[in-house]
Amino acid sequence: QVQLVESGGGLVQAGGSLRLSCAASGITLRNYAMGWFRQAPGKEREFVASLSWTGARTLYQDSVKGRFTISRVNAKNTAYLQMNSLKAEETAVYYCAADKDYGPSTDTHDYEYWGQGTQVTVSP
C-alpha cells in the first residue's frame, strides 16, 4: 500500500518559515517526480513546486520563486518543501504528490499518489 504522509505544517507569522516533509512508504521516491500543491478554502488546488525524478530539474510557481525550495533525500525516502518569507495569502492545505513520469510537472493529473495534506496558516 502506497502512502505519502505530510508533516511540518502549523501556524506561523508572516515573514516566517516552515519546512514541510513528505514521507513515503510503498514506493521509492527516487523513482518518482515529486510535486507540492496547495488548496485554500473556496479555491482550486494549485501548483507550488515540482522536482524531476532525477532531481536535476525543478519548477516553481512564479509567486514562490526565490522563497520556496523543493528537495528530496533518497536515503530517507522523503521529500521536502522549505518555505521562507511566508505570506498570509499562502494559508492553505499543502499536499505532496508523486508522479511516475520523469517530471517535473505542474499538472495535478500527472500525479498518481497524493498525501492527505498538512495545514499551513500564516497570520498577518
Side-chain angles (χ1 to χ4, degrees):
Q1 182 181 0
V2 177
Q3 278 193 311
L4 300 178
V5 179
E6 299 98 334
S7 60
L11 174 64
V12 64
Q13 287 189 329
S17 298
L18 284 174
R19 188 179 77 156
L20 305 183
S21 299
C22 174
S25 59
I27 58 172
T28 302
L29 288 189
R30 68 172 179 267
N31 297 327
Y32 288 76
M34 295 301 300
W36 286 93
F37 295 78
R38 64 189 178 193
Q39 188 166 19
K43 295 187 177 182
E44 292 187 355
R45 191 169 298 189
E46 65 173 3
F47 167 76
V48 176
S50 180
L51 177 71
S52 66
W53 74 275
T54 63
R57 293 183 59 209
T58 57
L59 284 176
Y60 294 95
Q61 184 192 113
D62 285 346
S63 69
V64 308
K65 286 180 181 177
R67 298 187 298 119
F68 288 16
T69 303
I70 186 172
S71 63
R72 182 181 62 217
V73 176
N74 293 336
K76 295 186 176 182
N77 211 28
T78 300
Y80 301 93
L81 183 68
Q82 177 67 44
M83 306 186 294
N84 299 328
S85 302
L86 281 160
K87 304 175 182 179
E89 57 265 34
E90 293 178 316
T91 293
V93 177
Y94 283 69
Y95 299 89
C96 70
D99 171 12
K100 185 57 175 169
D101 208 340
Y102 295 110
S105 173
T106 65
D107 189 346
T108 58
H109 297 95
D110 288 339
Y111 292 85
E112 286 84 8
Y113 303 110
W114 290 82
Q116 82 290 346
T118 185
Q119 177 70 47
V120 172
T121 302
V122 185
S123 62

